[in-house]
Amino acid sequence: MKVLFIGDIVGSTGRKALKETLPHLKSKYSPHVIIANGENAAGGRGITAAIAKEFFELGIHGLTMGNHTWDNKEIFEFIDDEPRMIRPANFPPGTPGRGYTVIKANGKELAIVNLMGRTFLPAIDDPFRAADEIIGKLAKKHKCILVDFHAEATSEKIAMGWHLDGRASLVVGTHTHVQSNDDIILPQGTAYLTDAGMVGSREGVLGMEREAVLRKFTTQLPVRFQVCEGKWHFHALVVDVDDSTGRAKKIQKIRLLEDEWIME
């Protein structure tokens, strides 16, 4: 199985980048399953039903979320009815939506799990305990499991990678919007990357207008952040997984820049 995972899609600039690049990525890599993090897709905060529909129509099979899951209140109208979208599984019991699901596409099955870290983020249940419980259930029926760990601290992400080595096919971090350079296949066969990066403006700060972010840092006054509309960059990764064992065989980072990329 070949899995394409796309980093946090940020606002209209990120959606524009996705439309321009995804057809070429599908042609080049022929992924069986495409997963993306969509928690910043609507104006940098949250997601709407229309945007989720747009992503699915472009060919994304599953969406993960994070700490901005609830920022767009429209999500409460459709999250329970959309099995292809998951939010962090370690939100407290009774939270709308689901924390994991199974994606079926192109004759393949991939279980996907969303977790959120606790370091430098709002209080939430233990992601390590949640991972143990959920993957313990999924592993009874599914060999191939992807975990999107939406977390701030690199140490917490790396710890999760080791914690799930041999139990997940891929553990990939999201949230920091900067693609890390530590892609590796761990000893027990889990592909790992601390952060997938983002899809959005490279002329802003993490996809947001840099003037507002600079004003916040230099004055410490309240500032309203807006999505930057400058030239985009696109970050993702492709992982080859052995269907019979769930072990990763290859991990490859993708980085594309608007007006500078050529897809061979």
Side-chain angles (χ1 to χ4, degrees):
M1 179 192 306
K2 186 165 287 189
V3 178
L4 171 63
F5 184 89
I6 301 169
D8 305 52
I9 301 168
V10 183
S12 57
T13 307
R15 302 198 304 271
K16 174 177 178 280
L18 183 72
K19 290 178 185 177
E20 292 183 17
T21 58
L22 190 55
H24 301 279
L25 291 167
K26 289 195 286 186
S27 177
K28 179 174 181 176
Y29 294 104
S30 299
H32 297 100
V33 182
I34 303 172
I35 308 297
N37 185 286
E39 72 137 14
N40 299 126
R45 292 180 176 274
I47 194 169
T48 65
I51 291 174
K53 182 174 182 289
E54 174 188 337
F55 288 164
F56 295 136
E57 289 176 347
L58 286 171
I60 290 174
H61 301 110
L63 290 170
T64 56
M65 299 293 284
N67 59 302
H68 291 298
T69 298
W70 316 113
D71 285 6
N72 192 300
K73 303 309 177 186
E74 184 184 321
I75 196 168
F76 292 102
E77 300 174 9
F78 69 92
I79 190 170
D80 284 326
D81 300 319
E82 181 46 77
R84 295 169 291 181
M85 186 171 72
I86 57 176
R87 46 74 177 163
N90 52 322
F91 277 122
T95 300
R98 54 188 59 78
Y100 62 94
T101 192
V102 177
I103 300 297
K104 299 180 180 180
N106 298 305
K108 305 292 183 179
E109 288 191 5
L110 177 69
I112 61 173
V113 182
N114 199 182
L115 298 166
M116 194 166 86
R118 295 192 291 183
T119 306
F120 309 128
L121 283 172
I124 196 169
D125 293 347
D126 182 358
F128 292 87
R129 186 176 294 113
D132 289 343
E133 180 181 349
I134 293 167
I135 291 178
K137 294 177 182 178
L138 290 172
K140 295 176 181 178
K141 294 183 178 180
H142 304 282
K143 293 287 188 182
C144 302
I145 301 172
L146 177 154
V147 176
D148 173 353
F149 189 30
H150 198 82
E152 180 79 32
T154 55
S155 57
E156 193 175 15
K157 294 181 181 181
I158 293 168
M160 183 64 78
W162 286 111
H163 186 65
L164 296 179
D165 185 22
R167 294 192 284 163
S169 305
L170 167 63
V171 175
V172 57
T174 55
H175 178 66
T176 62
H177 292 200
V178 178
Q179 189 178 71
S180 55
N181 196 36
D182 59 345
D183 48 307
I184 189 174
I185 297 179
L186 296 172
Q188 300 303 314
T190 295
Y192 174 81
L193 182 66
T194 293
D195 203 280
M198 63 168 278
V199 180
S201 174
R202 69 180 192 263
E203 297 181 0
V205 177
L206 305 184
M208 310 306 284
E209 289 183 350
R210 63 177 179 267
E211 291 80 7
V213 179
L214 284 167
R215 190 159 58 251
K216 174 67 175 179
F217 278 122
T218 56
T219 69
Q220 289 301 300
L221 294 173
V223 174
R224 182 177 178 82
F225 292 163
Q226 300 287 345
V227 170
C228 181
E229 297 182 357
K231 289 187 177 181
W232 54 256
H233 56 178
F234 180 104
H235 295 99
L237 62 150
V238 175
V239 177
D240 293 345
V241 179
D242 186 330
D243 295 55
S244 63
T245 64
R247 286 173 168 259
K249 299 187 293 183
K250 181 180 179 182
I251 179 172
Q252 178 180 352
K253 300 192 304 295
I254 297 171
R255 180 173 186 248
L256 306 173
L257 303 178
E258 185 174 2
D259 298 335
E260 298 180 27
W261 64 283
I262 298 176
M263 192 66 65
E264 298 178 355

